[in-house]
Amino acid sequence: MFDTFKKNIRSYLSFSDDDLSFFISQLEVRPLLKNEKWLRAGDVCRHVAYVNQGLLRYYLPVADKEHILDFFPENTWVSEYASFLHAKPSMVTIEAVEDTELFLLSYTAVQKAYERGAVFERFGRKMAEKLFVEAVDLNYIRQSKSVETRYQELVAEWPGLADRLPLKYIASYLGIEPESLSRIRKRLTGR
Amino acid sequence: MFDTFKKNIRSYLSFSDDDLSFFISQLEVRPLLKNEKWLRAGDVCRHVAYVNQGLLRYYLPVADKEHILDFFPENTWVSEYASFLHAKPSMVTIEAVEDTELFLLSYTAVQKAYERGAVFERFGRKMAEKLFVEAVDLNYIRQSKSVETRYQELVAEWPGLADRLPLKYIASYLGIEPESLSRIRKRLTGR
């Protein structure tokens, strides 16, 4: 049950079997049904989550629209981390696109891990560094790349993901209308 | 010489005198003249820097323009952190607006500090968390706040800073022409 999880966290750094057992002992398993919300904008995000199975979308509710910022398939970590760190209201809603299984770590569990010493501190540091680099990249990418390029990069980064997502979700992620995305797809296939 | 530096890093967490002495032993002092560049876009950022005195601007060179993303006055930390972490070319240029004094920590010094154990790992984690939250905030702020609000917040966050910056730098930070900023300033003063 925890094989891909173990592999995932050992990709950040090497944990002893002891530390790994401790880590796993802190997890709570949370199943989500398709379209179920894990976090609502306005609530405080109390956990970080490892996506063991399934797929989530991460979106900003703006007026009567949803602006999708990111997708989280299996074997990724997800959280509204600023809300988690400072117990402030979440800006985003996080919702299951498919039936999903999360492994949750509460804020208390995370602090307990840090108290165990340097290896967990280092893990937390590497996670925060990764999130930071992604946030900055997102900034630059949205400012500097064409919609077509961003679509191709999404498809390349997560093979198969585009087939698991409704067209309207991908369009929202790209900031365009579904009709425009259909045209882009046709153009790319026609090449 | 290191009083405000000590105070600054102890605001993140409590360091023993020993750890603090080690930290300070790793610093290099780097003076910069007004308008001198500390980092050029395209070069790899090899240090993180504490601004002991002076003021820096942090900008994206785009075609024949400069788009200022942030300012760093005394008692702040500055780096192109994604470039620093992954030894990749910097997206931004960092340049002194006034005569400035930096305390530098090299990548090697930072890794050495992490090897000392949990307290430095924790410091690194807190720095990365702070940077992440700021990057996300910047994203939301630029998407959701008016230019007028952003100007007022800049002035409120850094009292006196607006008087130390040429009008054109503040306008570039806000993404408007200097003439528009003059009008906003007049409107705000006239209230």
Side-chain angles (χ1 to χ4, degrees):
Chain A
M1 178 172 192
F2 295 107
D3 284 356
T4 55
F5 174 80
K6 285 182 192 170
K7 221 172 132 183
N8 176 282
I9 68 164
R10 282 189 158 145
S11 73
Y12 287 89
L13 54 131
S14 72
F15 282 89
S16 71
D17 288 348
D18 241 30
D19 283 336
L20 209 55
S21 301
F22 165 79
F23 209 154
I24 288 171
S25 75
Q26 298 300 308
L27 299 176
E28 303 161 44
V29 179
R30 166 79 53 89
L32 291 172
L33 292 173
K34 182 176 171 172
N35 298 331
E36 190 178 342
K37 290 179 175 59
W38 174 55
L39 175 71
R40 280 168 204 273
D43 289 352
V44 172
C45 180
R46 305 281 181 193
H47 299 84
V48 291
Y50 172 80
V51 185
N52 190 46
Q53 283 173 41
L55 176 59
L56 299 162
R57 63 195 184 99
Y58 184 102
Y59 63 90
L60 212 51
V62 210
D64 59 335
K65 287 194 111 177
E66 296 168 356
H67 180 42
I68 298 180
L69 300 176
D70 219 340
F71 301 107
F72 294 88
E74 53 283 319
N75 203 23
T76 59
W77 287 85
V78 59
S79 181
E80 210 281 47
Y81 207 53
S83 167
F84 174 80
L85 289 174
H86 301 302
K88 64 179 188 182
S90 169
M91 305 287 284
V92 301
T93 295
I94 305 177
E95 187 181 313
V97 176
E98 305 169 350
D99 291 353
T100 293
E101 182 180 71
L102 302 179
F103 297 161
L104 305 186
L105 279 173
S106 69
Y107 187 82
T108 315
V110 170
Q111 302 316 308
K112 216 162 118 185
Y114 290 148
E115 292 307 324
R116 274 178 78 94
V119 69
F120 285 97
E121 286 288 354
R122 180 167 292 192
F123 183 72
R125 171 169 65 81
K126 287 186 177 276
M127 293 288 265
E129 287 173 355
K130 186 164 178 278
L131 284 167
F132 166 72
V133 171
E134 286 168 358
V136 171
D137 278 354
L138 203 67
N139 246 329
Y140 288 130
I141 288 165
R142 286 179 187 264
Q143 276 171 20
S144 63
K145 290 192 182 165
S146 73
V147 168
E148 199 159 302
T149 305
R150 288 178 55 215
Y151 174 71
Q152 289 175 299
E153 288 183 351
L154 180 75
V155 171
E157 191 185 351
W158 303 108
L161 190 67
D163 301 326
R164 293 161 67 185
L165 290 167
L167 190 74
K168 65 176 178 181
Y169 289 171
I170 304 179
S172 165
Y173 170 79
L174 297 171
I176 58 177
E177 295 301 316
E179 296 71 32
S180 312
L181 179 54
S182 293
R183 279 196 297 276
I184 289 174
R185 277 183 164 178
K186 264 181 214 142
R187 207 157 54 226
L188 291 174
T189 325
R191 268 180 199 168
Chain B
M1 179 172 192
F2 296 107
D3 284 355
T4 56
F5 174 80
K6 287 182 190 171
K7 221 172 133 183
N8 176 283
I9 69 165
R10 282 188 156 144
S11 73
Y12 287 88
L13 54 129
S14 72
F15 282 88
S16 70
D17 287 347
D18 242 28
D19 283 335
L20 208 55
S21 300
F22 165 78
F23 209 154
I24 288 171
S25 75
Q26 299 299 309
L27 300 176
E28 302 161 44
V29 178
R30 166 80 52 92
L32 291 172
L33 292 175
K34 183 176 172 173
N35 298 331
E36 190 177 341
K37 290 181 176 57
W38 175 55
L39 176 71
R40 280 167 205 275
D43 290 351
V44 172
C45 180
R46 304 280 180 193
H47 298 85
V48 292
Y50 171 80
V51 185
N52 190 45
Q53 282 172 42
L55 176 59
L56 300 162
R57 64 196 185 97
Y58 185 102
Y59 64 90
L60 212 51
V62 210
D64 58 336
K65 284 193 112 180
E66 298 168 355
H67 181 41
I68 297 179
L69 300 175
D70 219 341
F71 300 106
F72 293 88
E74 54 283 318
N75 204 24
T76 58
W77 287 84
V78 60
S79 182
E80 212 280 46
Y81 207 55
S83 166
F84 174 80
L85 289 174
H86 300 301
K88 65 179 187 180
S90 169
M91 307 287 285
V92 302
T93 295
I94 306 177
E95 185 180 315
V97 176
E98 305 169 350
D99 290 351
T100 293
E101 183 181 68
L102 301 179
F103 296 161
L104 305 186
L105 279 172
S106 70
Y107 187 82
T108 315
V110 169
Q111 302 315 308
K112 215 162 119 186
Y114 290 149
E115 292 308 324
R116 275 179 77 95
V119 68
F120 285 97
E121 286 288 354
R122 179 166 293 191
F123 183 71
R125 172 171 64 81
K126 287 189 177 271
M127 292 289 265
E129 287 172 358
K130 187 165 177 276
L131 284 167
F132 166 72
V133 171
E134 286 168 356
V136 171
D137 278 354
L138 203 67
N139 247 329
Y140 288 129
I141 287 167
R142 286 178 188 265
Q143 276 172 22
S144 64
K145 290 191 182 167
S146 72
V147 168
E148 199 160 303
T149 305
R150 287 178 57 216
Y151 175 71
Q152 289 175 299
E153 288 182 353
L154 179 74
V155 171
E157 192 185 352
W158 303 108
L161 190 65
D163 301 326
R164 293 161 64 185
L165 291 167
L167 189 74
K168 65 176 179 181
Y169 288 172
I170 303 178
S172 166
Y173 170 79
L174 297 170
I176 59 175
E177 295 300 318
E179 297 70 35
S180 312
L181 179 54
S182 293
R183 278 195 297 276
I184 289 175
R185 278 184 163 178
K186 266 182 211 141
R187 208 156 55 228
L188 291 173
T189 326
R191 267 179 197 165

